[in-house]
Amino acid sequence: MADFVFPAPAPTTLAVAGSTALFPVGRVFCIGRNYRWRPDEAAPQEMPAWFMKPASAVVPAHGMLPYPPATGDFCHEIELVVAIGRGGRDIAPAEVEPHHVWGYAAGLDLTRRDLHQQAKRAGGPWEAAKAFDHSAPCTPLVPVATCGHPRQGAVWLTVNGIERQRADLSGLLWPVPELVAMLSRSVALLPGDLIYTGTPAGVGPLQSGDVVQGGVAGIGQFSMTVGGAASRAATPLQQP
Ligand code: MN
């Protein structure tokens, strides 16, 4: 047994739909703009920006969603999540679905939008805006053996029953095979990696007490209630 200086934490896991098995979460990659937010928007020639969240940010998408500290603009982004079962680098698009994708889920890429705007203005890193605790809720993973590879179907989110986001998977500017292939040219993918594939138009703020529901047709849906704002939420981050 390894001589750890303190007990090594157990891996973050996600439930597998229809099974008692658990999916051990490795890294979390998130893709930037990957749907048209306006009808006249041109498809990008280059892959959209990507960023990461720690595995510890992944939580089951049910129950209470804590309102995070250090923000006054906590925003929802509903996304199709791809779970990688076999790693690789320089993967060809045609190889992605048959050999590398383990399953799919519906997830939320939660964002502290005020810190995101601040980071974009300053040309600074996005971690404070994106990589906070509980920032990546995810439904149980559906194995490819059950759901196949979804190419169309609704991606939707409501707040207190009012629709905020709705698109179709067929609107992904970089579909899953191309997206995963492109990412694998930038980093070697590993089993356990999750890829949040980008959110459609309609991102908006959440308030304490809001009931946020969403899902991806044929894959999963969730309902969560936003908890009370942390006591530090009103304190803006200051330069030391
Ligand atoms: Mn996103």
Side-chain angles (χ1 to χ4, degrees):
M1 192 177 154
D3 184 22
F4 293 123
V5 298
F6 54 81
T12 297
T13 58
L14 277 173
V16 172
S19 166
T20 54
L22 297 173
F23 183 93
V25 176
R27 300 168 299 177
V28 181
F29 296 91
C30 299
I31 307 300
R33 284 287 277 277
N34 198 19
Y35 289 88
R36 282 188 176 79
W37 281 15
R38 297 183 313 274
D40 59 342
E41 199 169 314
Q45 298 303 302
E46 295 181 350
M47 184 172 151
W50 59 270
F51 56 92
M52 297 184 74
K53 300 190 184 218
S56 59
V58 176
V59 293
H62 61 71
M64 206 268 287
L65 174 59
Y67 195 103
T71 187
D73 197 4
F74 177 40
C75 283
H76 57 77
E77 296 189 3
I78 180 74
E79 310 199 359
L80 171 73
V81 178
V82 177
I84 298 296
R86 187 176 140 209
R89 62 173 60 186
D90 300 326
I91 302 168
E95 299 292 306
V96 167
E97 290 180 337
H99 298 304
H100 297 276
V101 175
W102 189 89
Y104 296 91
L108 278 171
D109 165 20
L110 295 167
T111 303
R112 296 193 277 215
R113 190 68 63 199
D114 40 5
L115 300 189
H116 195 210
Q117 302 295 6
Q118 214 175 81
K120 286 201 276 193
R121 273 198 305 273
W126 289 11
E127 278 84 352
K130 290 286 197 179
F132 54 93
D133 300 336
H134 311 280
S135 63
C138 193
T139 61
L141 286 167
V142 184
V144 163
T146 304
C147 66
H149 297 283
R151 289 190 174 78
Q152 53 190 30
V155 182
W156 59 276
L157 181 139
T158 66
V159 177
N160 302 326
I162 297 166
E163 189 168 289
R164 292 272 191 90
Q165 296 189 268
R166 179 171 290 272
D168 193 278
L169 290 178
S170 60
L172 280 168
L173 298 175
W174 288 86
V176 170
E178 286 74 16
L179 194 63
V180 173
M182 285 294 282
L183 192 57
S184 81
R185 285 187 230 160
S186 190
V187 288
L189 293 175
L190 296 169
D193 287 343
L194 298 181
I195 302 167
Y196 282 59
T197 56
T199 198
V203 303
L206 295 168
Q207 311 295 341
S208 296
D210 281 350
V211 176
V212 53
Q213 297 178 300
V216 176
I219 301 296
Q221 55 185 349
F222 61 84
S223 179
M224 302 182 83
T225 301
V226 182
S231 55
R232 289 166 292 163
T235 310
L237 293 182
Q238 299 287 350
Q239 290 280 90

